[in-house]
């Protein structure tokens, strides 16, 4: 293995070639540390939520520890993002406000929207309303533009007949309707926090163009990777759990090659 000039943190048994369209089985900080400033067009971050779902969610001992960890990788994402770039970050309703105020707002980018993924289903609870959404922060650097025409949505029934309306559809709002991935869906992998591919595709179409470089620090089951391949984006991904890479991500990638 060639380790000359490679920081000690990266010498964990793998060769860190600067490969494009590649998933690295390592901590995303190792990949981020290798990327030059302002080299990435779009980051889609779906980090552990903090004590919600999946073993990877329960490795943090306190909220402070979780938020400190988020500060490290988020600062790196901000550093590697181009002045035209965009950053999307998932979070849970219990933590996403703190993540925004205590971590993301402190970095050199602009808060744009809190996007609500409305999946309409969810378990009833006794002391709270049925949770049928997940939340996604959208930040961007100053020169980012959204490809509004790429992500227009249908007008509500009847509205499309109004001649003043855009024939391509209504501009996309911040409430996104996609169903959750169920075990009987073709794209279902079994990963505990898999996101819908169509949702990832909307992010890519809105905030990048073919050939752009997309960074996926928490690849999970490979949803964002698959969406990048489908839409012709270049990508770099990290996933700490080798098993997820073997069981979910590689089969998804291989289905294209
Ligand atoms: C919320 S899931 C991502 C799900 C993904 N969006 C999908 O649709 O499949 C977060 C993933 O990050 C991985 N992970 C946790 N800490 C990590 C780290 N420091 N570096 C890279 N991956 C990490 C976990 O193993 C988990 O698979």
């Amino acid at each position: 293995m060639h380790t000359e000039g490679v920081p000690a943190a990266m010498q964990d048994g793998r060769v860190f070639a600067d490969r494009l369209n590649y998933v690295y089985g390592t901590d995303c900080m190792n990949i981020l540390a290798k990327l030059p400033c302002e080299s990435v067009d779009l980051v889609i971050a779906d980090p552990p939520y903090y004590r919600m779902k999946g073993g990877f969610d329960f490795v943090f001992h306190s909220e402070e520890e979780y938020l400190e960890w988020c500060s490290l990788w988020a600062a790196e994402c901000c550093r590697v993002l181009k002045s035209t770039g965009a950053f999307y970050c998932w979070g849970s309703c219990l933590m996403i406000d703190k993540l925004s105020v205590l971590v993301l707002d402190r970095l050199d980018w602009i808060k744009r929207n809190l996007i609500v993924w409305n999946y309409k289903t969810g378990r009833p609870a006794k002391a709270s309303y049925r949770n049928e959404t997940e939340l996604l922060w959208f930040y961007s650097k100053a020169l980012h533009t959204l490809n509004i025409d790429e992500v227009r949505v249908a007008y509500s029934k009847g509205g499309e007949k109004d001649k003043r309306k855009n024939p391509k559809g209504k501009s996309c709002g911040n409430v996104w309707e996609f169903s959750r991935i169920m075990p009987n869906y073709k794209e279902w992998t079994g990963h505990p926090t898999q996101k819908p591919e169509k949702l990832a595709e909307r992010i890519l179409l809105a905030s990048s163009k073919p050939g752009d470089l997309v960074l996926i620090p928490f690849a999970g089951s490979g949803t964002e990777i698959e969406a990048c391949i489908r839409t012709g984006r270049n990508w770099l991904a990290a996933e700490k759990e080798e098993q997820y890479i073997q069981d979910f991500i590689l089969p998804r990638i291989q289905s294209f090659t």
Side-chain angles (χ1 to χ4, degrees), residues 41 147 150 204-205 208-213 228 231-234:
D41 296 286
N147 308 320
E150 296 288 329
L204 291 167
L205 293 175
S208 69
K209 45 186 197 316
D212 277 358
L213 177 59
C228 280
T231 56
R233 272 63 172 169
N234 288 308

Side-chain angles (χ1 to χ4, degrees), residues 50-208:
Y50 183 69
R51 308 186 79 77
M52 296 274 290
K53 231 188 224 182
F56 49 80
D57 244 19
F58 289 85
V59 300
F60 308 96
H61 299 103
S62 65
E63 284 187 16
E64 290 71 29
E65 184 188 329
Y66 173 76
L67 291 167
E68 261 170 43
W69 172 72
C70 289
S71 310
L72 298 177
W73 60 257
E76 277 294 84
C77 289
C78 189
R79 180 186 67 78
V80 302
L81 202 59
K82 291 182 185 172
S83 57
T84 49
F87 171 82
Y88 289 74
C89 182
W90 288 101
S92 75
C93 64
L94 295 180
M95 201 49 90
I96 199 151
D97 47 352
K98 291 178 190 162
L99 183 63
S100 167
V101 173
L102 300 175
V103 176
L104 303 180
D105 286 357
R106 296 182 177 178
L107 297 167
D108 187 19
W109 46 28
I110 303 165
K111 191 181 215 160
R112 301 289 189 186
N113 289 104
L114 179 58
I115 296 165
V116 178
W117 170 29
N118 179 13
Y119 46 73
K120 294 187 179 157
T121 53
R123 286 206 196 100
K126 281 191 177 144
S128 53
Y129 297 101
R130 187 165 47 82
N131 211 356
E132 55 185 17
T133 61
E134 285 200 32
L135 303 164
L136 176 66
W137 278 116
F138 165 40
Y139 285 68
S140 80
K141 294 281 180 85
L143 301 181
H144 181 66
T145 46
L146 274 183
N147 308 320
I148 297 286
D149 278 345
E150 296 288 329
V151 290
R152 288 187 177 274
V153 294
Y155 286 104
S156 41
K157 216 168 176 332
E160 73 282 3
K161 292 187 189 129
D162 185 333
K163 294 229 164 48
R164 291 164 300 180
K165 298 275 166 75
N166 189 317
K168 290 182 188 156
K170 191 166 74 164
S171 65
C172 185
N174 72 326
V175 179
W176 294 8
E177 316 267 357
F178 292 97
S179 54
R180 254 204 299 212
I181 305 305
M182 302 300 192
N184 59 336
Y185 285 26
K186 210 172 150 212
E187 68 185 275
W188 186 79
T189 61
H191 186 283
T193 60
Q194 183 181 351
K195 301 294 183 301
E197 204 191 307
K198 280 286 169 203
L199 194 159
E201 195 176 301
R202 178 176 287 177
I203 298 173
L204 291 167
L205 293 175
S207 283
S208 69

Side-chain angles (χ1 to χ4, degrees), residues 26-28 46-48 56 69 191 193-195 217-224 238-241 244:
T26 187
D27 191 310
C28 61
D46 188 4
F56 49 80
W69 172 72
H191 186 283
T193 60
Q194 183 181 351
K195 301 294 183 301
F218 307 99
S221 70
T223 305
E224 293 79 11
E239 171 51 56
K240 229 163 109 171
E241 283 295 329
Y244 291 159

